[in-house]
Amino acid sequence: MFLGHFGLALAAKRAAPRASLGTTVFAAQFLDLLWPLLLLAGVERVRIVPGLMEASALDFEHYPVTHSLLMAAVWALLVAGIYYAVRRYRTGALVVGGLVLSHWLLDAPMHRPDLPLWPGSDVLVGGGLWHSLTATLFIEAGLLAAGAFVYTRTTRPLNRRGSWGLWAMIALLVVFFAGALFGPPPPDARTIAFSALALWLFVPWAAWIDRNRALVRTQHDQPAHGELARTGSIG
Ligand SMILES: [Zn+2]
């Protein structure tokens, strides 16, 4: 799963309006942000097998720290705990934790059975939807579009940066996704790790977009005590 994680991060703004989009992107992508670091450190392993599945050539040989269910839950608690300690925003912390865990839950239907329940577990989970290019395209594009729909109804641009920044980010995500899907398979695991490191850039980018947008006031959730509707927060 790739675009779908960003879709969920965008939609999460509705559930935790005071959390920055940078934070929700970080949380939803956390396991994949950690992964290239552990690949380069030699802790986790991936192999490229051209033609393995219609939508992915990656054979995730060893994935215990970033993509086991137990560790996903541990990371979720840790990231949510740190967020709460810094921001003191309970709803935000719950949403952040949920997003970290959601990464595993969204990956599970797409992967071949290669996601362990815990490090060293023999039980490997995966629904194998990557075997179908059509299903992959529908699910990924659908989740991103739904997330963008919710985000653009929850926030409005304060200036041109707030609108063009958002659409440029979405366009670049789609280009990344299409490149991975239709381009030649990467030559080796190091190349995968370095291109995955580039995903970190979307975190400050999303935070910057969010600073240039304001929450849309609805009758449902009027800010209390005349609090400014501007999202303001960077964290
Ligand atoms: Zn993942």
Side-chain angles (χ1 to χ4, degrees), residues 64-95:
V65 183
T66 60
H67 281 71
S68 68
L69 177 58
L70 177 72
M71 286 307 291
V74 169
W75 292 121
L77 284 173
L78 196 74
V79 176
I82 292 172
Y83 180 82
Y84 185 73
V86 175
R87 295 277 163 203
R88 298 276 153 195
Y89 175 31
R90 197 142 66 109
T91 308
L94 287 172
V95 167

Side-chain angles (χ1 to χ4, degrees), residues 31-41 66 192-194 196-197 200:
L31 303 183
D32 279 358
L33 293 174
L34 206 57
W35 179 58
L37 303 175
L38 294 189
L39 275 183
L40 291 172
T66 60
I192 297 176
F194 282 114
L197 278 178
W200 279 89

